Amino acid sequence: METQPTFRALADPTRRDILLMLRHKDMTIAEVADNFDMTRAAVKKHLTVLSDGGLITVRAQGRERINTLNPSGMAPLRDWLTFFDAFWDDRLSALKSAIEKDTK
């Protein structure tokens, strides 16, 4: 399970903002760019990183490219974080048992 591209995509606040915008509706590059003080080329680079990270999908519609949020793209991160949830649950349960044992 390769999570590096997804973490890279989420590391930038502009890309996180783009994801939040795409949760409401699919958008073209121009529509996304209208929300930022940067060139369309810069926005396109951000969208490419998001696509490489599996967080959005891009489809052609005539001459435009439509960007869509891909919620299942978060699955590798959720799986990665779940491992640590279980790790800490086990550690905290062991600590609780040790404390309860010492207080008896």
Side-chain angles (χ1 to χ4, degrees):
M1 167 178 56
E2 178 61 40
T3 58
Q4 186 65 28
T6 309
F7 277 115
R8 179 176 179 246
L10 290 172
D12 185 273
T14 299
R15 291 192 286 268
R16 293 191 303 265
D17 289 343
I18 291 170
L19 288 175
L20 291 175
M21 291 182 339
L22 291 176
R23 74 181 170 168
H24 297 294
K25 70 174 194 165
D26 299 350
M27 300 173 86
T28 64
I29 295 169
E31 290 172 323
V32 174
D34 287 344
N35 292 280
F36 297 97
D37 186 24
M38 65 178 74
T39 66
R40 285 186 189 186
V43 170
K44 172 83 171 90
K45 287 181 182 181
H46 283 295
L47 292 168
T48 298
V49 173
L50 288 169
S51 178
D52 291 347
L55 298 173
I56 67 168
T57 58
V58 183
R59 73 180 186 284
Q61 184 174 315
R63 292 178 48 201
E64 296 182 320
R65 295 177 59 76
I66 309 299
N67 300 278
T68 304
L69 181 65
N70 178 23
S72 64
M74 292 285 190
L77 294 179
R78 188 177 51 250
D79 295 344
W80 188 83
L81 291 169
T82 298
F83 166 79
F84 290 98
D85 282 343
F87 171 82
W88 284 111
D89 286 347
D90 292 345
R91 296 283 195 235
L92 291 172
S93 291
L95 177 61
K96 179 182 176 196
S97 294
I99 290 171
E100 288 174 349
K101 181 181 173 187
D102 286 346
T103 60
K104 291 182 182 182

